[in-house]
Short mmCIF file of all heavy atoms in Angstrom, two decimals:
data_model
loop_
_atom_site.label_atom_id
_atom_site.label_comp_id
_atom_site.label_asym_id
_atom_site.label_seq_id
_atom_site.Cartn_x
_atom_site.Cartn_y
_atom_site.Cartn_z
N ALA P 1 -10.49 29.48 -27.42
CA ALA P 1 -10.74 29.61 -26.00
C ALA P 1 -10.47 28.27 -25.32
O ALA P 1 -10.71 27.22 -25.88
CB ALA P 1 -12.18 30.02 -25.76
N CYS P 2 -9.94 28.34 -24.13
CA CYS P 2 -9.71 27.11 -23.39
C CYS P 2 -9.96 27.37 -21.91
O CYS P 2 -10.01 28.50 -21.46
CB CYS P 2 -8.31 26.57 -23.63
SG CYS P 2 -7.00 27.59 -22.97
N LEU P 3 -10.15 26.30 -21.20
CA LEU P 3 -10.37 26.36 -19.76
C LEU P 3 -9.05 26.08 -19.08
O LEU P 3 -8.34 25.14 -19.44
CB LEU P 3 -11.40 25.30 -19.36
CG LEU P 3 -11.54 25.00 -17.88
CD1 LEU P 3 -12.23 26.16 -17.19
CD2 LEU P 3 -12.33 23.73 -17.68
N ARG P 4 -8.71 26.86 -18.10
CA ARG P 4 -7.51 26.62 -17.30
C ARG P 4 -7.97 26.10 -15.95
O ARG P 4 -8.69 26.78 -15.23
CB ARG P 4 -6.72 27.90 -17.13
CG ARG P 4 -5.48 27.74 -16.29
CD ARG P 4 -4.75 29.07 -16.20
NE ARG P 4 -3.59 28.94 -15.36
CZ ARG P 4 -3.51 29.44 -14.13
NH1 ARG P 4 -4.52 30.10 -13.61
NH2 ARG P 4 -2.41 29.29 -13.43
N VAL P 5 -7.60 24.89 -15.64
CA VAL P 5 -7.95 24.28 -14.36
C VAL P 5 -6.66 24.11 -13.57
O VAL P 5 -5.72 23.49 -14.06
CB VAL P 5 -8.61 22.90 -14.56
CG1 VAL P 5 -8.90 22.25 -13.22
CG2 VAL P 5 -9.89 23.04 -15.36
N VAL P 6 -6.60 24.68 -12.40
CA VAL P 6 -5.41 24.55 -11.56
C VAL P 6 -5.73 23.56 -10.44
O VAL P 6 -6.71 23.72 -9.71
CB VAL P 6 -4.98 25.91 -10.97
CG1 VAL P 6 -3.78 25.73 -10.06
CG2 VAL P 6 -4.67 26.90 -12.08
N LEU P 7 -4.92 22.55 -10.34
CA LEU P 7 -5.06 21.55 -9.28
C LEU P 7 -3.94 21.77 -8.28
O LEU P 7 -2.79 21.93 -8.66
CB LEU P 7 -4.94 20.15 -9.87
CG LEU P 7 -5.88 19.85 -11.03
CD1 LEU P 7 -5.55 18.50 -11.63
CD2 LEU P 7 -7.31 19.89 -10.58
N ASP P 8 -4.26 21.77 -7.03
CA ASP P 8 -3.22 21.94 -6.02
C ASP P 8 -3.50 21.02 -4.83
O ASP P 8 -4.53 20.37 -4.76
CB ASP P 8 -3.10 23.40 -5.58
CG ASP P 8 -4.41 23.96 -5.05
OD1 ASP P 8 -5.13 23.23 -4.32
OD2 ASP P 8 -4.71 25.11 -5.34
N ASP P 9 -2.55 20.99 -3.93
CA ASP P 9 -2.64 20.11 -2.77
C ASP P 9 -3.78 20.48 -1.83
O ASP P 9 -4.17 19.68 -0.99
CB ASP P 9 -1.33 20.16 -1.97
CG ASP P 9 -0.18 19.47 -2.68
OD1 ASP P 9 -0.45 18.66 -3.58
OD2 ASP P 9 0.97 19.74 -2.34
N LEU P 10 -4.33 21.66 -1.97
CA LEU P 10 -5.34 22.12 -1.03
C LEU P 10 -6.75 21.66 -1.41
O LEU P 10 -7.66 21.75 -0.61
CB LEU P 10 -5.31 23.65 -0.93
CG LEU P 10 -3.98 24.23 -0.50
CD1 LEU P 10 -4.04 25.76 -0.51
CD2 LEU P 10 -3.61 23.73 0.89
N ARG P 11 -6.93 21.18 -2.61
CA ARG P 11 -8.26 20.76 -3.05
C ARG P 11 -8.60 19.38 -2.49
O ARG P 11 -7.76 18.52 -2.38
CB ARG P 11 -8.33 20.69 -4.57
CG ARG P 11 -8.30 22.04 -5.21
CD ARG P 11 -8.49 21.87 -6.70
NE ARG P 11 -8.57 23.17 -7.32
CZ ARG P 11 -9.55 23.53 -8.11
NH1 ARG P 11 -10.53 22.71 -8.38
NH2 ARG P 11 -9.56 24.72 -8.65
N GLN P 12 -9.87 19.21 -2.20
CA GLN P 12 -10.36 17.91 -1.77
C GLN P 12 -10.46 17.00 -2.99
O GLN P 12 -10.59 17.47 -4.12
CB GLN P 12 -11.74 18.06 -1.11
CG GLN P 12 -11.72 18.90 0.15
CD GLN P 12 -10.91 18.26 1.26
OE1 GLN P 12 -10.92 17.04 1.41
NE2 GLN P 12 -10.18 19.06 2.00
N ALA P 13 -10.43 15.70 -2.77
CA ALA P 13 -10.47 14.72 -3.86
C ALA P 13 -11.67 14.94 -4.77
O ALA P 13 -11.55 14.88 -5.99
CB ALA P 13 -10.47 13.30 -3.30
N GLU P 14 -12.82 15.22 -4.19
CA GLU P 14 -14.03 15.42 -5.00
C GLU P 14 -13.90 16.66 -5.89
O GLU P 14 -14.32 16.65 -7.05
CB GLU P 14 -15.25 15.56 -4.09
CG GLU P 14 -16.55 15.63 -4.86
CD GLU P 14 -17.75 15.67 -3.93
OE1 GLU P 14 -17.73 14.98 -2.89
OE2 GLU P 14 -18.70 16.39 -4.27
N ALA P 15 -13.31 17.71 -5.37
CA ALA P 15 -13.12 18.93 -6.15
C ALA P 15 -12.16 18.69 -7.31
O ALA P 15 -12.34 19.22 -8.40
CB ALA P 15 -12.62 20.06 -5.26
N VAL P 16 -11.14 17.88 -7.08
CA VAL P 16 -10.19 17.55 -8.14
C VAL P 16 -10.91 16.76 -9.23
O VAL P 16 -10.75 17.04 -10.42
CB VAL P 16 -8.98 16.77 -7.59
CG1 VAL P 16 -8.11 16.23 -8.71
CG2 VAL P 16 -8.16 17.66 -6.65
N GLU P 17 -11.72 15.78 -8.86
CA GLU P 17 -12.47 14.99 -9.83
C GLU P 17 -13.41 15.89 -10.64
O GLU P 17 -13.55 15.72 -11.85
CB GLU P 17 -13.27 13.88 -9.14
CG GLU P 17 -12.42 12.81 -8.51
CD GLU P 17 -11.56 12.04 -9.52
OE1 GLU P 17 -12.01 11.85 -10.68
OE2 GLU P 17 -10.45 11.64 -9.15
N GLN P 18 -14.04 16.85 -9.99
CA GLN P 18 -14.93 17.78 -10.70
C GLN P 18 -14.13 18.65 -11.68
O GLN P 18 -14.59 18.93 -12.78
CB GLN P 18 -15.68 18.66 -9.70
CG GLN P 18 -16.72 17.90 -8.92
CD GLN P 18 -17.33 18.72 -7.80
OE1 GLN P 18 -16.92 19.85 -7.53
NE2 GLN P 18 -18.31 18.14 -7.13
N ALA P 19 -12.93 19.05 -11.28
CA ALA P 19 -12.09 19.84 -12.17
C ALA P 19 -11.67 19.02 -13.39
O ALA P 19 -11.66 19.53 -14.51
CB ALA P 19 -10.85 20.35 -11.41
N PHE P 20 -11.33 17.75 -13.19
CA PHE P 20 -11.00 16.88 -14.31
C PHE P 20 -12.18 16.75 -15.27
O PHE P 20 -12.03 16.84 -16.48
CB PHE P 20 -10.60 15.48 -13.83
CG PHE P 20 -9.25 15.39 -13.17
CD1 PHE P 20 -9.02 14.44 -12.20
CD2 PHE P 20 -8.22 16.23 -13.54
CE1 PHE P 20 -7.78 14.32 -11.60
CE2 PHE P 20 -6.97 16.12 -12.94
CZ PHE P 20 -6.75 15.17 -11.96
N ALA P 21 -13.37 16.55 -14.71
CA ALA P 21 -14.56 16.39 -15.54
C ALA P 21 -14.83 17.67 -16.33
O ALA P 21 -15.18 17.63 -17.51
CB ALA P 21 -15.76 16.03 -14.67
N ARG P 22 -14.67 18.82 -15.68
CA ARG P 22 -14.86 20.11 -16.36
C ARG P 22 -13.84 20.30 -17.48
O ARG P 22 -14.19 20.73 -18.59
CB ARG P 22 -14.77 21.24 -15.34
CG ARG P 22 -15.23 22.57 -15.87
CD ARG P 22 -15.38 23.62 -14.77
NE ARG P 22 -14.11 23.96 -14.14
CZ ARG P 22 -13.78 23.67 -12.88
NH1 ARG P 22 -14.60 23.04 -12.10
NH2 ARG P 22 -12.61 24.03 -12.40
N ALA P 23 -12.60 19.93 -17.23
CA ALA P 23 -11.56 20.04 -18.26
C ALA P 23 -11.87 19.13 -19.44
O ALA P 23 -11.72 19.53 -20.60
CB ALA P 23 -10.20 19.70 -17.66
N GLU P 24 -12.31 17.92 -19.16
CA GLU P 24 -12.63 16.98 -20.23
C GLU P 24 -13.82 17.48 -21.06
O GLU P 24 -13.80 17.40 -22.29
CB GLU P 24 -12.93 15.61 -19.64
CG GLU P 24 -12.91 14.52 -20.66
CD GLU P 24 -12.95 13.15 -20.04
OE1 GLU P 24 -12.38 12.95 -18.94
OE2 GLU P 24 -13.54 12.27 -20.68
N ARG P 25 -14.84 18.00 -20.41
CA ARG P 25 -16.00 18.55 -21.13
C ARG P 25 -15.56 19.71 -22.03
O ARG P 25 -15.98 19.82 -23.18
CB ARG P 25 -17.07 19.05 -20.16
CG ARG P 25 -18.01 18.00 -19.67
CD ARG P 25 -19.22 18.60 -18.96
NE ARG P 25 -18.89 19.59 -17.94
CZ ARG P 25 -18.59 19.31 -16.67
NH1 ARG P 25 -18.56 18.05 -16.26
NH2 ARG P 25 -18.31 20.27 -15.82
N THR P 26 -14.73 20.58 -21.49
CA THR P 26 -14.25 21.72 -22.26
C THR P 26 -13.43 21.26 -23.45
O THR P 26 -13.57 21.78 -24.56
CB THR P 26 -13.41 22.67 -21.37
OG1 THR P 26 -14.25 23.14 -20.32
CG2 THR P 26 -12.87 23.85 -22.16
N ALA P 27 -12.57 20.28 -23.25
CA ALA P 27 -11.76 19.76 -24.36
C ALA P 27 -12.65 19.21 -25.46
O ALA P 27 -12.38 19.43 -26.66
CB ALA P 27 -10.82 18.67 -23.85
N ARG P 28 -13.70 18.52 -25.10
CA ARG P 28 -14.61 17.97 -26.10
C ARG P 28 -15.39 19.08 -26.82
O ARG P 28 -15.60 19.02 -28.02
CB ARG P 28 -15.58 16.99 -25.45
CG ARG P 28 -14.91 15.71 -25.01
CD ARG P 28 -15.93 14.75 -24.40
NE ARG P 28 -15.27 13.62 -23.81
CZ ARG P 28 -14.76 12.59 -24.49
NH1 ARG P 28 -14.84 12.58 -25.79
NH2 ARG P 28 -14.19 11.59 -23.86
N GLN P 29 -15.82 20.09 -26.08
CA GLN P 29 -16.63 21.16 -26.66
C GLN P 29 -15.81 22.16 -27.47
O GLN P 29 -16.22 22.60 -28.52
CB GLN P 29 -17.38 21.90 -25.55
CG GLN P 29 -18.43 21.07 -24.87
CD GLN P 29 -18.95 21.74 -23.59
OE1 GLN P 29 -18.46 22.77 -23.14
NE2 GLN P 29 -19.97 21.12 -23.00
N LYS P 30 -14.66 22.53 -26.95
CA LYS P 30 -13.87 23.61 -27.56
C LYS P 30 -12.61 23.13 -28.25
O LYS P 30 -11.88 23.91 -28.84
CB LYS P 30 -13.53 24.66 -26.52
CG LYS P 30 -14.77 25.28 -25.91
CD LYS P 30 -14.41 26.38 -24.95
CE LYS P 30 -15.64 26.92 -24.28
NZ LYS P 30 -16.14 28.12 -24.87
N GLY P 31 -12.32 21.85 -28.11
CA GLY P 31 -11.14 21.32 -28.78
C GLY P 31 -9.88 21.33 -27.94
O GLY P 31 -8.87 20.77 -28.34
N ARG P 32 -9.93 21.94 -26.77
CA ARG P 32 -8.74 21.97 -25.90
C ARG P 32 -9.10 22.41 -24.50
O ARG P 32 -10.09 23.11 -24.29
CB ARG P 32 -7.67 22.88 -26.47
CG ARG P 32 -8.10 24.34 -26.45
CD ARG P 32 -7.10 25.25 -27.08
NE ARG P 32 -7.17 25.05 -28.52
CZ ARG P 32 -6.30 25.54 -29.38
NH1 ARG P 32 -5.32 26.27 -28.96
NH2 ARG P 32 -6.42 25.32 -30.66
N ALA P 33 -8.29 22.01 -23.57
CA ALA P 33 -8.38 22.47 -22.19
C ALA P 33 -6.97 22.36 -21.61
O ALA P 33 -6.22 21.47 -21.99
CB ALA P 33 -9.35 21.62 -21.38
N VAL P 34 -6.64 23.26 -20.74
CA VAL P 34 -5.32 23.24 -20.11
C VAL P 34 -5.51 22.93 -18.63
O VAL P 34 -6.30 23.59 -17.96
CB VAL P 34 -4.59 24.60 -20.28
CG1 VAL P 34 -3.27 24.60 -19.53
CG2 VAL P 34 -4.39 24.89 -21.76
N VAL P 35 -4.80 21.94 -18.15
CA VAL P 35 -4.85 21.57 -16.74
C VAL P 35 -3.45 21.76 -16.16
O VAL P 35 -2.50 21.17 -16.66
CB VAL P 35 -5.31 20.11 -16.55
CG1 VAL P 35 -5.28 19.73 -15.08
CG2 VAL P 35 -6.70 19.90 -17.14
N LEU P 36 -3.34 22.58 -15.16
CA LEU P 36 -2.07 22.79 -14.47
C LEU P 36 -2.13 22.09 -13.13
O LEU P 36 -3.01 22.37 -12.32
CB LEU P 36 -1.81 24.28 -14.24
CG LEU P 36 -1.75 25.17 -15.48
CD1 LEU P 36 -1.60 26.61 -15.08
CD2 LEU P 36 -0.61 24.73 -16.38
N ALA P 37 -1.22 21.18 -12.90
CA ALA P 37 -1.16 20.48 -11.63
C ALA P 37 -0.01 21.07 -10.82
O ALA P 37 1.14 21.00 -11.23
CB ALA P 37 -0.95 18.99 -11.85
N GLU P 38 -0.36 21.68 -9.72
CA GLU P 38 0.63 22.31 -8.85
C GLU P 38 0.53 21.65 -7.49
O GLU P 38 -0.44 21.84 -6.77
CB GLU P 38 0.36 23.80 -8.72
CG GLU P 38 0.43 24.53 -10.03
CD GLU P 38 0.00 25.98 -9.92
OE1 GLU P 38 -0.62 26.36 -8.90
OE2 GLU P 38 0.26 26.73 -10.86
N GLY P 39 1.50 20.86 -7.17
CA GLY P 39 1.48 20.20 -5.87
C GLY P 39 2.13 18.84 -5.96
O GLY P 39 2.36 18.32 -7.04
N THR P 40 2.38 18.30 -4.81
CA THR P 40 3.07 17.02 -4.76
C THR P 40 2.43 16.04 -3.80
O THR P 40 3.03 15.03 -3.46
CB THR P 40 4.55 17.21 -4.36
OG1 THR P 40 4.58 17.86 -3.08
CG2 THR P 40 5.31 18.03 -5.38
N SER P 41 1.22 16.32 -3.37
CA SER P 41 0.61 15.41 -2.42
C SER P 41 0.38 14.06 -3.10
O SER P 41 0.00 14.01 -4.27
CB SER P 41 -0.71 15.96 -1.88
OG SER P 41 -1.73 15.81 -2.83
N PRO P 42 0.62 12.98 -2.40
CA PRO P 42 0.40 11.65 -2.99
C PRO P 42 -1.02 11.47 -3.51
O PRO P 42 -1.22 10.87 -4.57
CB PRO P 42 0.69 10.70 -1.83
CG PRO P 42 1.63 11.45 -0.95
CD PRO P 42 1.18 12.88 -1.05
N SER P 43 -1.99 12.04 -2.84
CA SER P 43 -3.38 11.92 -3.27
C SER P 43 -3.60 12.60 -4.62
O SER P 43 -4.20 12.03 -5.54
CB SER P 43 -4.30 12.54 -2.22
OG SER P 43 -5.63 12.56 -2.68
N LEU P 44 -3.11 13.82 -4.76
CA LEU P 44 -3.25 14.55 -6.01
C LEU P 44 -2.52 13.82 -7.14
O LEU P 44 -3.06 13.67 -8.25
CB LEU P 44 -2.71 15.98 -5.87
CG LEU P 44 -2.69 16.82 -7.15
CD1 LEU P 44 -4.11 17.02 -7.69
CD2 LEU P 44 -2.03 18.16 -6.89
N LEU P 45 -1.32 13.36 -6.88
CA LEU P 45 -0.55 12.66 -7.91
C LEU P 45 -1.24 11.36 -8.33
O LEU P 45 -1.24 11.02 -9.52
CB LEU P 45 0.87 12.40 -7.42
CG LEU P 45 1.70 13.66 -7.15
CD1 LEU P 45 3.07 13.29 -6.61
CD2 LEU P 45 1.82 14.52 -8.40
N ARG P 46 -1.83 10.64 -7.39
CA ARG P 46 -2.57 9.42 -7.74
C ARG P 46 -3.77 9.75 -8.62
O ARG P 46 -4.03 9.08 -9.62
CB ARG P 46 -3.03 8.68 -6.48
CG ARG P 46 -1.97 7.79 -5.87
CD ARG P 46 -2.56 6.87 -4.81
NE ARG P 46 -3.25 7.58 -3.74
CZ ARG P 46 -2.66 8.08 -2.68
NH1 ARG P 46 -1.36 7.97 -2.49
NH2 ARG P 46 -3.38 8.71 -1.74
N GLN P 47 -4.53 10.78 -8.24
CA GLN P 47 -5.68 11.18 -9.04
C GLN P 47 -5.27 11.61 -10.44
O GLN P 47 -5.90 11.24 -11.43
CB GLN P 47 -6.44 12.32 -8.37
CG GLN P 47 -7.28 11.89 -7.20
CD GLN P 47 -8.03 13.08 -6.64
OE1 GLN P 47 -7.45 13.88 -5.92
NE2 GLN P 47 -9.29 13.18 -6.99
N LEU P 48 -4.20 12.38 -10.53
CA LEU P 48 -3.71 12.85 -11.82
C LEU P 48 -3.27 11.67 -12.70
O LEU P 48 -3.61 11.60 -13.88
CB LEU P 48 -2.55 13.83 -11.61
CG LEU P 48 -1.99 14.51 -12.86
CD1 LEU P 48 -3.07 15.31 -13.56
CD2 LEU P 48 -0.82 15.40 -12.48
N ALA P 49 -2.55 10.73 -12.11
CA ALA P 49 -2.10 9.55 -12.86
C ALA P 49 -3.29 8.71 -13.34
O ALA P 49 -3.31 8.24 -14.48
CB ALA P 49 -1.16 8.70 -12.01
N ARG P 50 -4.26 8.54 -12.48
CA ARG P 50 -5.45 7.75 -12.84
C ARG P 50 -6.21 8.43 -13.99
O ARG P 50 -6.61 7.79 -14.95
CB ARG P 50 -6.34 7.59 -11.61
CG ARG P 50 -7.35 6.50 -11.69
CD ARG P 50 -8.04 6.18 -10.37
NE ARG P 50 -8.29 7.32 -9.48
CZ ARG P 50 -7.69 7.53 -8.32
NH1 ARG P 50 -6.77 6.68 -7.87
NH2 ARG P 50 -7.99 8.57 -7.57
N TRP P 51 -6.39 9.74 -13.89
CA TRP P 51 -7.14 10.47 -14.92
C TRP P 51 -6.40 10.48 -16.25
O TRP P 51 -6.98 10.16 -17.28
CB TRP P 51 -7.41 11.90 -14.43
CG TRP P 51 -8.19 12.73 -15.40
CD1 TRP P 51 -9.48 12.52 -15.81
CD2 TRP P 51 -7.74 13.90 -16.08
NE1 TRP P 51 -9.86 13.50 -16.69
CE2 TRP P 51 -8.80 14.36 -16.87
CE3 TRP P 51 -6.54 14.61 -16.08
CZ2 TRP P 51 -8.71 15.50 -17.67
CZ3 TRP P 51 -6.46 15.73 -16.86
CH2 TRP P 51 -7.53 16.17 -17.65
N THR P 52 -5.11 10.84 -16.22
CA THR P 52 -4.37 10.90 -17.48
C THR P 52 -4.24 9.52 -18.11
O THR P 52 -4.25 9.39 -19.33
CB THR P 52 -2.98 11.53 -17.30
OG1 THR P 52 -2.23 10.79 -16.34
CG2 THR P 52 -3.09 12.99 -16.87
N GLY P 53 -4.16 8.49 -17.29
CA GLY P 53 -4.07 7.13 -17.81
C GLY P 53 -5.34 6.63 -18.46
O GLY P 53 -5.31 5.67 -19.24
N SER P 54 -6.45 7.28 -18.18
CA SER P 54 -7.73 6.83 -18.74
C SER P 54 -8.21 7.69 -19.90
O SER P 54 -9.23 7.38 -20.51
CB SER P 54 -8.79 6.81 -17.64
OG SER P 54 -9.07 8.14 -17.20
N LEU P 55 -7.51 8.76 -20.22
CA LEU P 55 -7.97 9.67 -21.26
C LEU P 55 -8.03 9.01 -22.64
O LEU P 55 -8.98 9.21 -23.38
CB LEU P 55 -7.08 10.91 -21.32
CG LEU P 55 -7.20 11.86 -20.14
CD1 LEU P 55 -6.19 12.99 -20.27
CD2 LEU P 55 -8.61 12.41 -20.03
N ASP P 56 -7.01 8.25 -22.98
CA ASP P 56 -6.92 7.65 -24.31
C ASP P 56 -8.14 6.80 -24.63
O ASP P 56 -8.73 6.92 -25.70
CB ASP P 56 -5.63 6.84 -24.43
CG ASP P 56 -5.41 6.35 -25.84
OD1 ASP P 56 -5.52 7.18 -26.77
OD2 ASP P 56 -5.13 5.16 -26.02
N ARG P 57 -8.55 5.97 -23.70
CA ARG P 57 -9.69 5.09 -23.97
C ARG P 57 -11.01 5.85 -24.04
O ARG P 57 -12.01 5.34 -24.52
CB ARG P 57 -9.74 3.94 -22.98
CG ARG P 57 -10.14 4.30 -21.59
CD ARG P 57 -10.28 3.03 -20.73
NE ARG P 57 -10.47 3.35 -19.35
CZ ARG P 57 -9.51 3.36 -18.44
NH1 ARG P 57 -8.27 3.02 -18.77
NH2 ARG P 57 -9.77 3.68 -17.19
N ARG P 58 -11.01 7.09 -23.56
CA ARG P 58 -12.21 7.92 -23.67
C ARG P 58 -12.13 8.88 -24.84
O ARG P 58 -12.97 9.76 -25.00
CB ARG P 58 -12.43 8.67 -22.36
CG ARG P 58 -12.84 7.73 -21.23
CD ARG P 58 -13.46 8.41 -20.04
NE ARG P 58 -12.78 9.61 -19.59
CZ ARG P 58 -11.73 9.64 -18.77
NH1 ARG P 58 -11.20 8.52 -18.33
NH2 ARG P 58 -11.22 10.77 -18.39
N GLY P 59 -11.09 8.74 -25.66
CA GLY P 59 -10.97 9.54 -26.87
C GLY P 59 -10.44 10.95 -26.66
O GLY P 59 -10.67 11.82 -27.48
N VAL P 60 -9.71 11.16 -25.57
CA VAL P 60 -9.12 12.47 -25.30
C VAL P 60 -7.61 12.33 -25.40
O VAL P 60 -7.02 11.45 -24.78
CB VAL P 60 -9.52 13.00 -23.90
CG1 VAL P 60 -8.84 14.32 -23.60
CG2 VAL P 60 -11.04 13.13 -23.80
N LEU P 61 -6.99 13.19 -26.17
CA LEU P 61 -5.55 13.14 -26.39
C LEU P 61 -4.84 14.08 -25.44
O LEU P 61 -5.17 15.27 -25.35
CB LEU P 61 -5.24 13.52 -27.84
CG LEU P 61 -3.78 13.50 -28.27
CD1 LEU P 61 -3.22 12.08 -28.17
CD2 LEU P 61 -3.67 14.02 -29.69
N LEU P 62 -3.87 13.57 -24.72
CA LEU P 62 -3.06 14.37 -23.81
C LEU P 62 -1.84 14.84 -24.58
O LEU P 62 -1.09 14.04 -25.13
CB LEU P 62 -2.65 13.53 -22.60
CG LEU P 62 -1.84 14.22 -21.52
CD1 LEU P 62 -2.67 15.31 -20.85
CD2 LEU P 62 -1.38 13.20 -20.49
N VAL P 63 -1.63 16.17 -24.64
CA VAL P 63 -0.50 16.73 -25.38
C VAL P 63 0.20 17.78 -24.52
O VAL P 63 -0.40 18.32 -23.59
CB VAL P 63 -0.96 17.39 -26.72
CG1 VAL P 63 -1.62 16.36 -27.62
CG2 VAL P 63 -1.89 18.55 -26.46
N PRO P 64 1.45 18.10 -24.85
CA PRO P 64 2.12 19.18 -24.12
C PRO P 64 1.42 20.51 -24.40
O PRO P 64 0.92 20.74 -25.51
CB PRO P 64 3.53 19.20 -24.72
CG PRO P 64 3.68 17.96 -25.51
CD PRO P 64 2.30 17.48 -25.85
N ALA P 65 1.37 21.37 -23.41
CA ALA P 65 0.72 22.68 -23.59
C ALA P 65 1.35 23.45 -24.74
O ALA P 65 0.67 24.19 -25.44
CB ALA P 65 0.80 23.48 -22.29
N SER P 66 2.64 23.26 -24.96
CA SER P 66 3.32 24.00 -26.04
C SER P 66 2.73 23.67 -27.41
O SER P 66 2.80 24.49 -28.33
CB SER P 66 4.82 23.68 -26.03
OG SER P 66 5.02 22.29 -26.23
N SER P 67 2.11 22.51 -27.56
CA SER P 67 1.53 22.16 -28.86
C SER P 67 0.23 22.91 -29.12
O SER P 67 -0.28 22.90 -30.24
CB SER P 67 1.29 20.65 -28.96
OG SER P 67 0.22 20.28 -28.11
N LEU P 68 -0.30 23.59 -28.12
CA LEU P 68 -1.54 24.35 -28.29
C LEU P 68 -1.28 25.80 -28.67
O LEU P 68 -2.21 26.54 -28.93
CB LEU P 68 -2.36 24.31 -26.99
CG LEU P 68 -2.75 22.92 -26.50
CD1 LEU P 68 -3.46 23.02 -25.17
CD2 LEU P 68 -3.61 22.22 -27.53
N ILE P 69 -0.03 26.18 -28.72
CA ILE P 69 0.33 27.58 -29.03
C ILE P 69 0.49 27.71 -30.54
O ILE P 69 1.22 26.98 -31.17
CB ILE P 69 1.65 27.97 -28.33
CG1 ILE P 69 1.48 27.85 -26.81
CG2 ILE P 69 2.08 29.37 -28.73
CD1 ILE P 69 2.76 27.99 -26.04
N ALA P 70 -0.21 28.70 -31.09
CA ALA P 70 -0.11 28.96 -32.52
C ALA P 70 1.23 29.65 -32.81
O ALA P 70 1.59 30.64 -32.16
CB ALA P 70 -1.27 29.84 -32.99
N ILE P 71 1.95 29.13 -33.78
CA ILE P 71 3.22 29.73 -34.18
C ILE P 71 2.96 30.58 -35.42
O ILE P 71 2.45 30.08 -36.42
CB ILE P 71 4.27 28.64 -34.48
CG1 ILE P 71 4.52 27.82 -33.22
CG2 ILE P 71 5.56 29.26 -34.99
CD1 ILE P 71 5.41 26.63 -33.42
N PRO P 72 3.28 31.87 -35.35
CA PRO P 72 3.02 32.74 -36.50
C PRO P 72 3.83 32.31 -37.72
O PRO P 72 4.98 31.89 -37.60
CB PRO P 72 3.45 34.13 -36.04
CG PRO P 72 4.02 33.97 -34.68
CD PRO P 72 3.91 32.55 -34.26
N LYS P 73 3.21 32.39 -38.88
CA LYS P 73 3.90 32.04 -40.14
C LYS P 73 4.70 33.25 -40.58
O LYS P 73 4.29 34.38 -40.43
CB LYS P 73 2.89 31.65 -41.20
CG LYS P 73 2.17 30.36 -40.86
CD LYS P 73 1.20 30.00 -41.95
CE LYS P 73 0.49 28.71 -41.56
NZ LYS P 73 -0.49 28.30 -42.56
N GLY P 74 5.83 32.94 -41.22
CA GLY P 74 6.60 34.04 -41.80
C GLY P 74 7.85 34.23 -41.09
O GLY P 74 8.78 34.72 -41.08
#
C-alpha cells in the first residue's frame, strides 16, 4: 500500500508542506509513498526542490516511481 499525494499549482504553501510531511510519514511507515507534482508555479517548484533536496539527510530515499512496480517472474 502506498499514499498518492498530488501537488498542483492550486494548493497553498502550507497545504503542500502538509502533503510532503504526510508522504514522508507514509514512506517511513509503509516503505513507500508516491508524490505526483503537477504544475509549474515557481512556488511549487521551489518547495519541491527544497523537500527533495533534504530527503537524503533525513534517511528517505528518492527513487523513480517505476522502481516501485513489481515485475512478475517468469
Side-chain angles (χ1 to χ4, degrees):
C2 67
L3 167 72
R4 179 179 178 254
V5 177
V6 178
L7 307 173
D8 57 40
D9 288 341
L10 302 177
R11 290 185 176 233
Q12 297 295 323
E14 186 176 322
V16 171
E17 293 297 327
Q18 289 172 355
F20 287 151
R22 192 169 65 247
E24 195 169 326
R25 275 193 311 275
T26 299
R28 290 181 188 283
Q29 293 168 354
K30 300 184 184 262
R32 67 184 74 190
V34 175
V35 177
L36 301 175
E38 299 173 345
T40 58
S41 77
S43 174
L44 175 62
L45 296 177
R46 277 192 303 276
Q47 284 182 281
L48 185 60
R50 198 169 35 249
W51 181 65
T52 58
S54 67
L55 290 176
D56 188 48
R57 71 175 172 262
R58 291 197 315 276
V60 177
L61 181 63
L62 182 65
V63 299
S66 60
S67 70
L68 302 176
I69 299 171
I71 299 173
K73 294 181 180 179

